[in-house]
Amino acid sequence: MIVTVTLNPAIDEEYLVPEFRPGGWFRASKVQRTPGGKGINVSLVLKQLGLETAAMGFLAGFSGEYIRDVLRKAQITTNFLHVRGETRTNVYIVDEVGKVETGLAEPGPYISEDEIARFISNYERILKRTSLVVLGGSLPPGIPQDFYCELIRIARQRDIPTFIDAAGAPLLAALDEGPTYAKVDQRFMGSYEGVTLNSLDNLIEAVTRVHALGVEWVIASYRTYGNVFFTPEGIFLAEFDRKGIVSMFGSGESLVAGLILSGKEGMDTKERILFGMAAALENALHVEKGVRNRVAVEKLIPRISFEKLS
Amino acid sequence: MQICEVMDRDLTALSPDTTLSEAIEVLTRHRVSGIPVVDPSGRVLGFVSEKDIVKAALPGYFDYLQDPSFIPDYGQFQKRLKKIGQDPISKVMAKDVVSFSEEDSDFYVAITLIRNHLKRAPVVRDGILVGVVNRADLLERIMMEEEPPSFA
């Protein structure tokens, strides 16, 4: 089984506003409320692609109950620890005309040491039947910045591969522990070890350094619709054009889910990248987060440009 | 219909050495009436419900009372509950657990729950916890389902 860890889940509220600008008062033409947090998103997309996962982390209050309820109805296995406080709500405003997204995130509930210890014991229990761990997103208050390190270490002791999709200090700390896969999002991380993540050359330098830490696959976003993949087979660039794109919201997690599913099915590196990118593109073609189904994803593979960089 | 279609795939569980006070906290936070007790690999060892905890904290003479209204207040109950608060749940949990497998039919599960006066029971695969079945969820499902064809 694949386990996704979301330590700081959220309700994602996405508002579509025809022309949004700060300081004004607007009516949304459409509102979308979904459970969120990177790990949960990956679980939901993998379910849409037909793969079972178990989602774990911390939930709190009414928002936490809502998330659990949606996951339950989607028949996703859950093992969340319910804590005091309230799970956060993240607000995204999509400007339909300017095609600009604005986001606002809350910090999340405080997690005590006792609760961390309880989480670890749940994590160790579930690892007994786990084939891959996906760690995603920010850390709620109370969780130490190097917590992902510990989770990667515990998984590695049991020979279980890990996939981390995070940003900032928690990601930097986790990289030292050598996860199997790491996704570095340029939007949330401007630079890595002094290398600005803007030009292609700089990105290649950064992913090469990350790879040297023992990370087999490094995925770094490049421009708006592309990613650089450092894989055991070489460095590749894959991109898609902006035709028909409505919202990139959740596309990163669809990419992660696509890479996981294709890896599980034994596809080769190129096929995995194409499938993952097609999942990301499919996610971007509608306001709804996630992908419609596998067939819809496969249809988009011809739209992905693929280039070997070295 | 198989029970895997109705069950709650939640793996919330306690270890046998969890204290009663922690178990009470988990029961209230998760808003459930009972939780499976498992070993480190997820194998179901028992089931602890609020009923088991209440029973453990009631004074020994309670069973001899014809009517609970003979008890003037819950002072004694509270005293006992606090006293046993640090005890492990293995002391009070039901060890003879009624559990189901994912392939069990909803009808079989419903009958078994009624027969054993249970609200919740674990669903296992090779002894390992994979979910929980609730009486209320079953009721909802039966209510929503189309009526079976009548042969009358």
Side-chain angles (χ1 to χ4, degrees), chain B residues 14 23 27 33-37 46-50 52-53 89 92-94:
Chain B
L14 300 168
L27 284 169
S33 59
I35 290 182
V37 181
F47 196 86
V48 68
S49 67
E50 54 189 19
D52 299 322
I53 299 172
I89 51 167
V92 305
M93 71 182 187

Side-chain angles (χ1 to χ4, degrees), chain A residues 52 62 65 68 72 75-84 115 118 122 124-126 128-129, chain B residues 4-6 8-13 22 25-26 29-31 38-42 128-130 137:
Chain A
E52 298 294 327
F62 289 117
E65 298 235 344
R68 241 279 290 160
R72 193 196 153 160
Q75 298 197 334
I76 290 171
T77 297
T78 52
N79 194 7
F80 284 92
L81 209 74
H82 290 241
V83 298
R84 279 172 211 273
E115 286 157 346
R118 259 187 251 172
N122 284 351
E124 287 176 332
R125 188 191 301 143
I126 211 163
K128 301 232 157 128
R129 35 195 172 126
Chain B
C4 59
E5 293 172 47
V6 197
D8 179 357
R9 292 162 196 272
D10 191 45
L11 304 182
T12 300
E22 192 182 323
E25 194 191 323
V26 177
R29 283 249 183 286
H30 285 250
R31 299 188 194 214
V38 298
D39 74 3
S41 58
I128 306 285
L129 180 72
V130 290
D137 296 331

